Amino acid sequence: MTWDVTLDFEYVVIKKKPPRICFGTSLDREVLPTKGPALSPFMRRNAAEVRPNLGPGSHDTNRDAFYDLTHRIYSKYGLGAKTSRWLMKHEYQHPPQEPPKRKPFPQNCAPFNSTSKRKGIFKSSNFPAPCDYCPEYKKREMKFAYSFSGKKVLRCAVEIKCVPYNLDACGVCGCSCSTQGDYWQFENRIFLCRKHYSRLFKHCFAKFQGAKLAEFKSVRDCFFAHAHNSCKAALKIMKMEEIVKKLRKEAYLDLYFPQRRYCEN
């Protein structure tokens, strides 16, 4: 007879089966019960309703149109299903009643039932206090140019042109515009000195060489702060603090005394 390992070998170590009793009982332990006596009133009120998965071929005969309402009454008052159905049946037997008509409200003879003239809180006078000024007046503020994650830059009243030498000539007289100080330009191709620009406004000329005078911008060379010495490199004559102070003062004064004028005639 041949020797068979599977039949003749006897296992010494046998794994024991886990005991049935856990936590001192053999009953199933529900962590989150949905029904039964383990539900507290708070859990019963907030627990979702357990409904079987019903298909088209199988229907629950105990469920009717008022199942949800009767189930709520049963869980709330502890009544039986038949008692709750009887209550619902007799409650809906009465026909619905129309709400009573509202009586018309008595109307006042005037708004807020007052015919007296309205008096203002403050009286107008020839010498108003600072708090009596019209609040609709828009405060004049200097304009700044903003950039994302950058510093705000003041928008100067006069555009500064940084060049080693200024060759802009007036379109009327042909003189150098920079000799008179600030001058006017249109798209950096038409230039007018201060004298002829004011003279054109005086005689109410709306255009010069096809460009509107209102679209001209005031411009100034940088010779008041820089010394180029006929090269692109700039040597600062004024301190940076003085330059900023000068530009801020000009921007503030331009709010009340603007350089650009518009012909009213």
Side-chain angles (χ1 to χ4, degrees):
M1 186 175 99
T2 59
W3 181 67
D4 193 356
V5 178
T6 58
L7 297 177
D8 297 343
F9 184 77
E10 183 179 358
Y11 290 95
V12 179
V13 181
I14 300 175
K15 189 176 181 180
K16 294 182 180 180
K17 294 182 179 179
R20 292 183 58 194
I21 299 176
C22 185
F23 300 105
T25 178
S26 60
L27 298 176
D28 295 335
R29 182 171 178 267
E30 291 187 68
V31 181
L32 294 174
T34 56
K35 59 182 179 179
L39 285 176
S40 63
F42 175 77
M43 296 170 64
R44 192 182 303 276
R45 184 170 62 253
N46 295 323
E49 184 180 358
V50 180
R51 298 183 180 181
N53 296 326
L54 301 178
S58 59
H59 297 278
D60 189 0
T61 56
N62 296 326
R63 296 176 63 90
D64 52 6
F66 301 99
Y67 177 79
D68 294 337
L69 297 175
T70 56
H71 186 70
R72 290 180 183 177
I73 294 175
Y74 170 75
S75 61
K76 186 175 182 181
Y77 299 104
L79 303 176
K82 292 183 180 180
T83 309
S84 59
R85 288 196 189 96
W86 183 85
L87 288 173
M88 295 296 297
K89 181 178 180 182
H90 286 272
E91 184 179 355
Y92 283 93
Q93 279 183 355
H94 302 286
Q97 299 180 359
E98 296 182 358
K101 296 182 179 180
R102 294 183 178 180
K103 297 180 180 180
F105 293 97
Q107 295 183 356
N108 298 330
C109 61
F112 302 101
N113 205 13
S114 176
T115 56
S116 61
K117 293 183 179 180
R118 188 176 180 182
K119 298 180 180 179
I121 301 176
F122 303 100
K123 295 182 180 180
S124 59
S125 62
N126 296 329
F127 306 99
C131 61
D132 296 336
Y133 287 103
C134 182
E136 296 180 358
Y137 177 75
K138 190 175 181 181
K139 184 180 179 182
R140 300 180 184 181
E141 296 180 354
M142 294 185 293
K143 297 181 180 180
F144 290 88
Y146 297 88
S147 61
F148 293 102
S149 67
K151 297 181 180 180
K152 62 178 184 180
V153 182
L154 177 67
R155 290 186 178 180
C156 303
V158 182
E159 183 182 351
I160 299 175
K161 195 173 184 179
C162 188
V163 289
Y165 39 83
N166 195 347
L167 299 178
D168 298 341
C170 178
V172 178
C173 60
C175 65
S176 178
C177 297
S178 60
T179 55
Q180 300 181 15
D182 300 347
Y183 57 98
W184 299 83
Q185 71 168 358
F186 177 76
E187 295 181 355
N188 202 18
R189 60 183 179 88
I190 304 176
F191 305 96
L192 286 174
C193 61
R194 189 190 304 178
K195 176 182 176 181
H196 288 92
Y197 184 80
S198 58
R199 185 177 297 179
L200 291 174
F201 261 105
K202 185 178 180 180
H203 295 284
C204 294
F205 288 106
K207 292 184 179 181
F208 176 77
Q209 294 185 5
K212 294 183 180 179
L213 291 179
E215 296 180 358
F216 277 73
K217 295 182 180 180
S218 180
V219 69
R220 176 195 307 163
D221 51 28
C222 64
F223 297 157
F224 71 98
H226 296 166
H228 287 274
N229 297 326
S230 301
C231 62
K232 293 184 178 181
L235 178 64
K236 291 184 179 179
I237 302 174
M238 297 175 60
K239 294 182 180 180
M240 194 64 188
E241 298 177 355
E242 297 178 357
I243 296 174
V244 173
K245 188 176 180 180
K246 176 181 176 62
L247 296 179
R248 288 181 66 90
K249 186 186 294 185
E250 290 179 354
Y252 177 77
L253 293 175
D254 189 66
L255 298 175
Y256 300 93
F257 306 99
Q259 296 189 39
R260 181 175 298 182
R261 296 178 298 175
Y262 298 94
C263 186
E264 297 179 356
N265 296 334

